[in-house]
Amino acid sequence: MQPENLQVGLFGLNHSNRDFSQRESWGKNQFNNSFPASLACYMYQKGLKLNYLTLDKQLKIQHQEIDISQIFGITPLSDHLFFSFESDYVPYRKIVVGKLPRVDLVTHDLSRDNACLRSIEIKLTALPDNSTYRLPDHQYGCEIVTRPDTIVYLALSIAHEFENSRDKLLNYLQPVCSQIEDWSSIRQVLPFIPQIVDSLDTLISENIAIQSPLVMQPIWKTVGKTSKLYQNCLDIFVWSNFGFTRLFFDITKRLAKSEETIQRPMRSVVWLAKMLYEFALVGKINHKLVIDTLTYNTKNDKAFALSGSNTRPYMTCDNLVQPRITKEEIKNIILGGGQNFLSPERRFDAIIFSNPEIFDDRLKEI
């Protein structure tokens, strides 16, 4: 039981750019990144580490564990930790042209003049998704929808490591990238995509030690497509920047063999290569120009999306089948009645699903 006078808030988020005593801090877009940060703090208090998906030299996903202090850059329950949601990561400003896009979470150290510590993309995902809900629960998977800014931060996280060795980065990319005269042309770029993937894979495999956390992916598990939470329903997976590349590199390798146009995952590979090549040449990344120009007749609302049936092979483990945090523990994360500030979308399909008596006269008597 929570004390009656407990202040409305989220566990561990004592200092942030959001006022959780106000209803506007509990909107859908805010909750989707603030709750995961709080969940991570709670898991730290319980002595749990997060599932860490990294890449080995053979370019295969490896399951490890990572302490949450490494994600936030400081002890999660430190009174010096400041959470800045939907902010830009200041250390990257010097290597971009124009305005740096915002990332879901930037952590700061209040004891060091509010120094930036880490930037984290957050993707709160449902388990199962539409492609796996009919399967047994040990075959459930999560859909991952990636926005273009995630690819920008992926590129920046790699470029940042080569700030003092741009020639080395150029050696990986120039042999193929210098052959492309018009990057906006599908006809010119498409034949080079397999070589682009190979050059990036070589870059990654030969510098595997510099990979770092990029995306924090909390999962919430329900019984099929219902709104009923599993008893064990919450956990967090973290993708390293190199590990995350597999989500769109591997599918690009398959698509490039037969596609006559550039699909979204393939375009994301091209974006990454073009931004890194540009950085290697001039020391700056004009991310907006790259994304706005290299559209290949496809909208830029998202970089790519991968269904649960495609993500499950990378993520499958005991903690995906049985997450470690139970539904009863949610009351230890959402504090002081904060759940009353939540205002979920009123969707007609959800309303119909929640009123089965419409279709079954027997239920009208209940």
Side-chain angles (χ1 to χ4, degrees):
M1 293 288 291
Q2 296 179 6
E4 291 184 4
N5 61 350
L6 189 64
Q7 185 176 350
V8 176
L10 286 164
F11 180 87
L13 306 191
N14 299 321
H15 306 292
S16 82
N17 61 344
R18 289 180 179 160
D19 180 358
F20 294 107
S21 68
Q22 301 299 312
R23 185 177 297 273
E24 55 264 26
S25 293
W26 293 80
K28 174 189 172 185
N29 293 334
Q30 291 88 349
F31 188 73
N32 282 354
N33 50 40
S34 57
F35 177 82
S38 178
L39 172 61
C41 289
Y42 178 74
M43 292 179 71
Y44 177 83
Q45 187 199 47
K46 285 178 63 84
L48 298 173
K49 294 184 177 183
L50 305 185
N51 307 284
Y52 190 31
L53 305 178
T54 64
L55 210 60
D56 64 18
K57 288 186 177 181
Q58 286 70 48
L59 303 176
K60 300 297 182 184
I61 290 288
Q62 299 297 316
H63 284 244
Q64 300 179 4
E65 290 185 331
I66 188 168
D67 192 278
I68 296 134
S69 297
Q70 293 178 256
I71 305 297
F72 291 164
I74 190 175
T75 303
L77 301 182
S78 168
D79 198 45
H80 301 306
L81 174 56
F82 185 89
F83 295 89
S84 186
F85 294 99
E86 296 179 48
S87 301
D88 65 334
Y89 185 59
V90 174
Y92 288 164
R93 285 182 182 175
K94 60 185 177 181
I95 58 175
V96 298
V97 174
K99 190 175 180 181
L100 186 64
R102 295 180 300 175
V103 66
D104 287 310
L105 174 62
V106 176
T107 56
H108 298 260
D109 185 346
L110 294 174
S111 69
R112 293 168 48 204
D113 197 26
N114 207 30
C116 278
L117 298 174
R118 299 285 190 273
S119 63
I120 306 155
E121 280 283 83
I122 299 175
K123 302 187 185 303
L124 180 60
T125 55
L127 181 72
D129 75 332
N130 199 50
S131 71
T132 59
Y133 78 93
R134 292 188 179 92
L135 301 174
D137 75 325
H138 67 276
Q139 295 181 31
Y140 283 178
C142 304
E143 180 187 35
I144 293 179
V145 180
T146 301
R147 61 195 186 116
D149 287 351
T150 304
I151 307 301
V152 175
Y153 268 84
L154 169 59
L156 290 170
S157 71
I158 298 172
H160 184 65
E161 297 290 337
F162 288 92
E163 280 192 84
N164 299 318
S165 53
R166 285 174 25 225
D167 286 349
K168 181 180 177 183
L169 185 59
L170 189 62
N171 289 338
Y172 289 111
L173 298 168
Q174 192 163 38
V176 57
C177 292
S178 62
Q179 298 182 65
I180 301 173
E181 294 182 4
D182 182 1
W183 283 82
S184 65
S185 167
I186 295 175
R187 182 181 60 82
Q188 281 201 32
V189 174
L190 186 60
F192 287 104
I193 286 181
Q195 291 174 253
I196 291 173
V197 173
D198 286 344
S199 66
L200 289 171
D201 273 348
T202 302
L203 161 64
I204 288 169
S205 65
E206 293 184 359
N207 295 276
I208 210 75
I210 68 171
Q211 67 185 311
S212 59
L214 176 75
V215 173
M216 188 164 74
Q217 183 195 353
I219 60 165
W220 53 279
K221 184 177 181 180
T222 59
V223 179
K225 281 182 74 174
T226 73
S227 56
K228 183 179 179 182
L229 287 171
Y230 257 85
Q231 176 62 26
N232 285 68
C233 61
L234 291 167
D235 215 312
I236 298 179
F237 289 75
V238 175
W239 296 83
S240 76
N241 51 358
F242 288 178
F244 193 77
T245 63
R246 296 309 96 186
L247 292 175
F248 58 106
F249 275 42
D250 289 349
I251 195 168
T252 290
K253 292 173 186 177
R254 297 195 296 270
L255 290 171
K257 295 176 181 178
S258 58
E259 280 295 331
E260 296 180 358
T261 189
I262 296 178
Q263 302 288 350
R264 277 194 168 103
M266 304 161 73
R267 183 180 66 178
S268 295
V269 169
V270 175
W271 282 350
L272 178 60
K274 182 65 166 70
M275 285 188 276
L276 290 177
Y277 182 50
E278 189 175 284
F279 175 78
L281 287 172
V282 300
K284 296 274 189 179
I285 294 176
N286 193 334
H287 56 90
K288 190 175 187 303
L289 183 64
V290 169
I291 289 171
D292 288 350
T293 305
L294 311 186
T295 60
Y296 306 124
N297 303 323
T298 303
K299 290 182 179 179
N300 286 343
D301 54 330
K302 57 187 174 185
F304 66 89
L306 219 58
S307 70
S309 57
N310 286 312
T311 64
R312 182 173 52 82
Y314 302 107
M315 298 177 66
T316 187
C317 64
D318 291 344
N319 292 339
L320 187 69
V321 177
Q322 183 164 309
R324 291 169 289 174
I325 303 302
T326 66
K327 59 183 179 182
E328 287 81 14
E329 292 177 271
I330 295 174
K331 65 179 180 292
N332 301 329
I333 303 169
I334 300 175
L335 307 175
Q339 71 277 7
N340 297 317
F341 283 169
L342 296 173
S343 183
E345 293 179 359
R346 295 179 65 202
R347 288 176 40 135
F348 191 51
D349 56 352
I351 296 297
I352 293 174
F353 186 82
S354 299
N355 289 269
E357 72 278 2
I358 296 171
F359 301 95
D360 192 337
D361 291 337
R362 293 170 301 174
L363 296 176
K364 291 180 179 179
E365 301 172 4
I366 299 175

